Amino acid sequence: MTARDNDWDGVRLHVVTGKGGTGKTTVAAALALALAGRGRKVLLIEVEGRQGIARLFDSPPLPYAERKIAIGQGGNGDAGAPGGDVFALAIDPEGALLDYLQMFYGMRSAGRALTKVGMVDFATAIAPGLADVLVTGKATEATRRRAGGSYVYDAVVMDAPPTGRISRFLNVTSEVSDLAKVGPVRSHADAVSNVIRSPQTAVHFVCTLEEMPVQETLDGIAELRAIKGIQVGGIFVNMARPALLPPDQLAAAPDEAVLATALRSAGLPGAEDLAVHLAASLGEHAQHLGLQDRERAELDSAGQPTYELPLITEGIDLAGLHRLAAELRDQGAA
Ligand SMILES: Nc1ncnc2c1ncn2[C@@H]1O[C@H](COP(=O)(O)OP(=O)(O)O)[C@@H](O)[C@H]1O
Ligand SMILES: [Mg+2]
């Protein structure tokens, strides 16, 4: 062990992307739980307005406010160590615009009136980049926020847009540069960009071991590497299926006759049919594991740290999230 706490020690803003459906929201939540050990305070942010975090934690829909939602994991395998707090926030562009007006112009009530006449739709329609800057702005503000000389949050985890949109989403300064060359939007964008393009921020990829998500992950990593200052983080392989048999037994073609004999001697009726089915599903399982290994090798070629999270067959509830969080801690991701 080195003196480092975990692989992402200096990182305070964890941006979690991935192809939709691969478990982005689930992994972001597990990472937040994992980071919230030893009394640490972590903010988990959702940016797509789907209330996925609330559902995951069995909580009522999140308002546009930071809410305590869970207690984190105990520290370093020490079950007795106190967990910290996970707060959650669902950001929508409208709330972010109001915040922005308040922060820079002290005109929250004017903002309210503006939203009534559709200002937000208007602003976000004429300047799609603006919505992104406002959302990332809220996340970076929470990351930098201080009270009494120390950070309010030890870490912020963002359940970010999917891989196909992530580089535009994070490339804030270039997205708004046509819109605003000078003025408050511009300097706000620059401040946001300074956090995002710093060692304080890492962009993690969630991926399943299938061809499409793997390809999207590799493409997404290449795109982000082309943006100066953005740190590509870890690859979180999710829902990997574990091997049910040792490799040598899986490699050997399953012998139906041997299986039938064994099943018969176990006193099972219909041993022959059962043996055929069993041999077929063993064959499929072996083939699936082979495909997984191939995709794993592809991901390894990206040269980023990888973590592996098992498929939780009972489905994801709070206990499942804590299991995934414990895995992340064991593997050094948090
Ligand atoms: N490790 C896992 N084991 C079992 N089910 C999982 C796991 N990770 C995610 N899921 C399930 O997969 C589905 C998609 O996950 P979700 O986090 O919502 O994906 P995304 O945010 O990428 O769309 C959900 O039903 C979730 O419960
Ligand atoms: Mg999601």
Side-chain angles (χ1 to χ4, degrees):
M1 278 299 262
T2 62
R4 280 167 73 92
D5 221 16
N6 67 61
D7 296 349
W8 309 102
D9 236 6
V11 172
R12 307 193 58 256
L13 175 58
H14 297 262
V15 177
V16 180
T17 185
K19 183 170 160 52
T22 57
K24 197 159 53 72
T25 302
T26 306
V27 172
L31 183 61
L33 279 177
L35 289 166
R38 277 158 296 163
R40 287 187 180 153
K41 205 170 151 182
V42 176
L43 179 66
L44 174 61
I45 297 181
E46 174 169 50
V47 302
E48 301 223 292
R50 299 219 183 103
Q51 293 291 344
I53 290 174
R55 256 193 315 277
L56 202 50
F57 286 94
D58 244 336
S59 126
L62 295 168
Y64 186 65
E66 291 154 40
R67 272 277 163 87
K68 184 171 161 181
I69 199 163
I71 299 187
Q73 297 247 307
N76 270 353
D78 175 1
D85 290 328
V86 178
F87 284 71
L89 169 68
I91 302 184
D92 56 283
E94 177 170 313
L97 180 59
L98 287 179
D99 248 28
Y100 175 77
L101 293 173
Q102 162 73 18
M103 222 182 327
F104 289 93
Y105 304 102
M107 52 189 280
R108 193 164 182 101
S109 54
R112 283 232 174 76
L114 288 174
T115 55
K116 286 213 182 79
V117 297
M119 172 61 185
V120 173
D121 285 347
F122 177 67
T124 51
I126 56 160
L130 180 61
D132 287 348
V133 175
L134 295 174
V135 168
T136 49
K138 184 69 193 166
T140 52
E141 179 273 316
T143 305
R144 282 175 307 174
R145 194 185 308 158
R146 286 172 174 276
S150 56
Y151 286 118
V152 170
Y153 292 109
D154 297 289
V156 174
V157 179
M158 190 202 294
D159 178 8
T163 328
R165 240 170 59 68
I166 194 65
S167 63
R168 285 196 63 167
F169 177 74
L170 294 175
N171 203 5
V172 283
T173 33
S174 81
E175 289 298 317
V176 294
S177 62
D178 293 338
L179 173 77
K181 297 250 184 296
V182 290
V185 170
R186 181 58 203 232
S187 50
H188 176 66
D190 286 342
V192 173
S193 185
N194 284 342
V195 175
I196 287 179
R197 297 168 189 240
S198 81
Q200 277 190 38
T201 299
V203 185
H204 305 299
F205 287 78
V206 179
C207 187
T208 50
L209 292 172
E210 298 158 302
E211 208 174 320
M212 287 285 293
V214 167
Q215 193 53 51
E216 276 198 27
T217 299
L218 296 176
D219 292 347
I221 289 174
E223 263 181 56
L224 286 187
R225 281 183 180 152
I227 304 176
K228 200 169 160 242
I230 288 193
Q231 176 179 204
V232 176
I235 298 175
F236 293 72
V237 173
N238 191 26
M239 301 192 254
R241 256 190 248 164
L244 299 174
L245 287 174
D248 54 324
Q249 288 184 36
L250 273 174
D255 188 323
E256 285 170 25
V258 174
L259 283 172
T261 310
L263 291 167
R264 241 189 332 267
S265 65
L268 289 172
E272 275 74 22
D273 282 352
L274 211 53
V276 171
H277 285 299
L278 204 51
S281 40
L282 275 175
E284 270 166 37
H285 180 60
Q287 196 187 3
H288 185 88
L289 293 180
L291 291 176
Q292 284 197 161
D293 284 343
R294 214 177 61 194
E295 299 303 337
R296 222 180 247 121
E298 281 285 309
L299 286 176
D300 281 345
S301 74
Q304 296 300 130
T306 62
Y307 311 97
E308 208 156 312
L309 296 169
L311 175 78
I312 303 219
T313 47
E314 300 84 12
I316 301 291
D317 55 8
L318 196 56
L321 277 182
H322 275 283
R323 260 177 71 189
L324 296 179
E327 277 293 333
L328 291 176
R329 295 183 73 102
D330 287 349
Q331 293 176 35

